[in-house]
Amino acid sequence: MAASGAALCLTAVTLTGCGAVGGLTGDNEVTLRVVAADYGDNPQNSSAAYWKGLAEGFQKDHPGIKVEVDVYSWSEVDAKVAEMVKAGKAPDIAQIGAYADYAAAGKLYSTAELLSVKTEADFLAPLADAGKVKQTQYGMPFVSSTRLLFYNEKLLADAGVIGKDGKGWQPKSWADLEAAAKKLKGAGVTTPFALPLGREEAQAETMMWMLAGGGGYTDNEEGYSIDSADNVKSLEFLRDKMVGQGLTGPVEPGKLDRQAAFEAFTKGEVGMLNGHPTLMKQAEAKGVKYGMVPLPASDGSPQPAMGVADWVMAFKNGHREQSGKFLDYLYQPKNVTAFTDKYDLLPATTSGFQAKQATTNGSAAQLKPFLAALPSSRLYPVGKKSWAGVSEDIKQKIGTAVQPGGQPAKVLEEIATAARAADKG
């Protein structure tokens, strides 16, 4: 998600200094300390405004509970929470990128201990399942997104891939992607297909291709299957057919980050790439006309898309009841919709999902293809406390697998072996 600025610390009424520890502030008054991530990319659209309004609304209905919220950029929020936990000053509630380590350490309340039955049942099933450790849900999905294949309508039309109107392209297999990329290269397009396997989000790009190739990071029993035959074939396709034929542009995939690929797309230098909803606004701001379709499977068979979720968790600070009330309020449909509308993200609840589906205006209508992919999407194995380390291993090594002369089977075996050892440990 977008990261910007330093921490913004606020209460429901006024700005406060950072670092205050929530606790009893009166005979019958409790202060909840909340840490959240900033989804804005400048001070004007910072998430601090959303959390301030949310806290104010909650306090009006619950006069005995005060709420302080610290909003940090995505580049530092996970580390900030880790520091607080290590110092014995964990926040009551955190909205960050991962929860499994804290759940495995016994530091979190389960959702059953916190939420009303109505709220707990409202989470979309794939997201709720991803929030579980050993069949118990600790992570509450906050917002989500799926990925689609974006294409530059003008570049594909000029290359003869689609008609001059630039509409209606629907590749059926990877052979179609290869053929389109070759035409784009022949037409002089700098990067026919951007393949960002750099550190920023290599684990996401890799997972998209693995799923489309019939594989994935885990098997049906949720054991790591990173080195499966299907995954090897997927990376061999990228190595031989895309990178090997010069269809992925001048920057090595292992050195290309997601945002750099997005920026190149908005400059008209990229014909195709996998993207999330954020790219819509970036492309529109630069006047780029684009289409969006699901990334086809290698052989055209139906395969799930990749989904991503960010997480809310509540630490065992003795404020279980108060935290539960605040979380029930956070997940009310009006509050979910207010946030997802502001940042063009997908909701994590059934009620929010239905509200988005019913909307036909503006950016909400453009989100419909992403929404359609969400219910059956596959997420990272975030319920494994080993996942953070495995993700880092993928970021460091996966780019070498697809470069000319790369060895996908060897690289995937190395990552898988370390992943299984970490999982057992």
Side-chain angles (χ1 to χ4, degrees):
M1 297 302 172
S4 65
L8 297 164
C9 303
L10 52 111
T11 67
V13 180
T14 58
L15 292 174
T16 70
C18 293
V21 179
L24 293 177
T25 58
D27 289 339
N28 298 303
E29 191 172 86
V30 167
T31 297
L32 291 179
R33 173 77 180 279
V34 180
V35 173
D38 195 347
Y39 289 72
D41 57 8
N42 60 68
Q44 287 68 46
N45 69 356
S46 168
S47 301
Y50 169 83
W51 287 102
K52 183 175 186 295
L54 187 81
E56 288 176 340
F58 176 77
Q59 285 191 162
K60 288 179 182 178
D61 295 337
H62 303 84
I65 308 174
K66 287 191 175 181
V67 180
E68 295 180 355
V69 185
D70 294 350
V71 179
Y72 294 94
S73 70
W74 267 108
S75 64
E76 60 181 345
V77 67
D78 289 319
K80 288 291 184 182
V81 171
E83 290 171 6
M84 294 173 191
V85 174
K86 185 177 181 180
K89 298 180 179 180
D92 293 289
I93 295 168
Q95 184 270 299
I96 52 179
Y99 68 88
D101 280 2
Y102 301 123
K107 296 182 180 296
L108 303 181
Y109 291 116
S110 69
T111 56
E113 294 175 298
L114 294 162
L115 304 177
S116 68
V117 173
K118 180 180 180 182
T119 301
E120 189 177 14
D122 197 27
F123 292 124
L124 290 166
L127 305 182
D129 287 343
K132 294 178 180 179
V133 173
K134 295 181 179 179
Q135 307 306 312
T136 298
Q137 186 179 352
Y138 296 94
M140 290 160 275
F142 181 58
V143 291
S144 62
S145 71
T146 53
R147 305 298 164 91
L148 292 174
L149 176 65
F150 283 69
Y151 62 91
N152 184 307
E153 292 181 349
K154 183 178 186 303
L155 293 182
L156 265 68
D158 290 347
V161 177
I162 51 179
K164 290 298 180 182
D165 62 359
K167 304 293 183 181
W169 188 50
Q170 182 58 67
K172 302 297 184 183
S173 67
W174 290 359
D176 290 346
L177 298 182
E178 179 189 352
K182 286 180 176 179
K183 288 185 177 181
L184 288 165
K185 182 181 180 181
V189 175
T190 304
T191 303
F193 199 115
L195 186 65
L197 293 176
R199 283 192 52 80
E200 183 181 350
E201 216 182 26
Q203 80 285 0
E205 185 73 20
T206 301
M207 184 172 173
M208 281 182 269
W209 288 98
M210 285 181 171
L211 290 174
Y217 288 136
T218 56
D219 55 29
N220 292 333
E221 285 74 42
E222 293 306 309
Y224 282 118
S225 58
I226 298 169
D227 54 349
S228 71
D230 285 332
N231 290 341
V232 172
K233 289 179 181 178
S234 295
L235 294 192
E236 287 176 343
F237 168 82
L238 294 177
R239 180 195 63 187
D240 299 337
K241 300 299 185 180
M242 303 302 284
V243 179
Q245 298 188 90
L247 304 180
T248 55
V251 180
E252 290 180 29
K255 296 180 180 179
L256 180 64
D257 282 337
R258 171 78 63 204
Q259 187 53 43
F262 280 11
E263 290 172 0
F265 185 80
T266 65
K267 294 176 182 177
E269 298 170 356
V270 173
M272 300 173 282
L273 81 169
N274 293 309
H276 50 68
T278 301
L279 183 55
M280 295 192 302
K281 279 189 174 181
Q282 293 182 12
E284 289 164 2
K286 295 296 181 67
V288 174
K289 292 184 178 181
Y290 60 88
M292 301 182 298
V293 294
L295 177 68
S298 56
D299 59 0
S301 61
Q303 298 293 345
M306 187 192 75
V308 178
D310 299 323
W311 301 96
V312 174
M313 62 217 69
F315 287 85
K316 292 180 176 179
N317 287 349
H319 296 156
R320 180 186 63 80
E321 181 180 355
Q322 295 87 353
S323 294
K325 289 179 179 179
F326 182 74
L327 291 167
D328 276 334
Y329 184 78
L330 170 65
Y331 284 105
Q332 287 182 9
K334 65 177 182 180
N335 295 325
V336 170
T337 301
F339 194 89
T340 56
D341 283 354
K342 182 177 179 66
Y343 296 107
D344 278 345
L345 293 166
L346 305 184
T349 59
T350 299
S351 57
F353 182 81
Q354 292 171 340
K356 282 283 190 184
Q357 282 188 313
T359 304
T360 58
N361 297 322
S363 60
Q366 292 179 296
L367 287 172
K368 286 186 180 296
F370 294 96
L371 281 167
L374 185 59
S376 61
S377 64
R378 290 279 301 275
L379 282 76
Y380 301 134
V382 290
K384 292 177 174 291
K385 71 174 185 176
S386 59
W387 170 243
V390 174
S391 177
E392 179 63 25
D393 211 15
I394 293 168
K395 291 178 181 181
Q396 291 182 7
K397 298 177 180 178
I398 207 68
T400 64
V402 302
Q403 66 188 21
Q407 297 177 285
K410 181 179 179 181
V411 172
L412 291 179
E413 183 181 7
E414 290 177 357
I415 297 172
T417 300
R420 293 181 185 120
D423 206 29
K424 290 180 180 179

